[in-house]
Amino acid sequence: MNYTLKEAKIFYRKALKLAKESHWFAKIDRPYPKLAGYEPFSSAAKNLAHNLLTVEMGVSSGQLDIRNVLGDLAWNGILSAAWTLAHNEFPVWWLGKNLFAAFDESDVPRAIGDLKVLVPCGIIMLPRDKILNPENNACDWVFFQHLPKGLELPPLKLGGHTIEHAPLECDKFRWATVLREGTGYASTIELAGDELIHGDFEMVNVGFVDSNQDLNLEQQFQQRIERIVLQTLLYLQIRPDDLTPPAPAAISTKGQGFSSGKSKSERFSPLMIGQQFQPKTERATGTAHSTHATPRTHWRKGHWRRVAIGEGRQQREWRWIQPVLVNG
């Protein structure tokens, strides 16, 4: 059934409370402290637990047909993400605000088939209120997962049903997120050789019809998320050392996001990507006799490219040509 927006928000807040008390939340949550400028990690855990709990309860009670869930690519992707996090150790990375801004002003290469993902899956926490969907709801985090060719994902067991997966026919990369008010997004990208094949973007709402009907705006929003995620992973490929606890780090570094320990008396140290990163700046110069006004502050776009290295220049590695903040 469809609710009004007001009814849906009330219903969703109640559902999140139930999700926080569920075994799914206990499996996904990690004892991270709250960082200024970012949503708490527990918000991501609650949203993911809510999706698992909704399907589990709905299917068990007969109010939800598992075939409808499987037929919704976004919901399927979000459930797979939540299930993966609930049953595996995973890293959580906080993307530095300056680095995020520079990624936002850089173009992603069309060919990225040799992307090396450091870990099979994880979550990237994004600066708060920087990526908004057409309804002005924020994307605070993104789940990512590398799915190599031939991988057989473990079955999902929800509400007495077992969901099997066929072996993957080619390398894939998947991302998913759930916004604060419950709208979820997911997409799968095929990494076919040296080619990057974008899948269809999908979204799912919780109990109400989204008032936005502009699919172009929705796609632009989702493409922006994808660009940030891919560049984050490319950056870690060339700067694997740039993972540091935010200063001052007066908390335990045990686990650093990979441990599944649940002691609430022990806090994990968040790992920040690009904490010391500073954007390149440049002052626009004019001649002494110029009558033109000084150009307003703007970004000169950045991009990624592969360069030849090594003996005989037979090897290739990624280089980031950073954007430049002109008159910044």
Side-chain angles (χ1 to χ4, degrees), residues 96-103 106 235 239 242 272-282 299 320-325 328:
K97 298 170 187 176
N98 287 334
L99 189 55
F100 169 88
F103 286 165
S106 298
Y235 182 79
R239 288 293 311 277
D242 199 4
M272 186 73 69
I273 303 175
Q275 178 173 286
Q276 304 300 324
F277 176 83
Q278 293 295 327
K280 292 185 176 181
T281 59
E282 179 181 300
W299 284 96
W320 180 30
I321 312 304
Q322 296 181 25
V324 177
L325 186 60

Side-chain angles (χ1 to χ4, degrees), residues 89-106:
E89 295 182 348
F90 59 90
V92 183
W93 299 324
W94 276 254
L95 182 58
K97 298 170 187 176
N98 287 334
L99 189 55
F100 169 88
F103 286 165
D104 212 21
E105 296 297 335
S106 298

Side-chain angles (χ1 to χ4, degrees), residues 113-135:
D114 60 349
L115 174 66
K116 296 180 178 64
V117 183
L118 297 180
V119 292
C121 66
I123 283 186
I124 301 171
M125 301 296 294
L126 304 174
R128 183 191 291 129
D129 296 330
K130 294 299 184 181
I131 301 184
L132 304 176
N133 77 346
E135 296 295 298

Side-chain angles (χ1 to χ4, degrees), residues 37-51:
Y38 299 83
E39 280 293 295
F41 176 74
S42 59
S43 295
K46 279 191 295 186
N47 277 313
L48 290 165
H50 167 261
N51 279 272

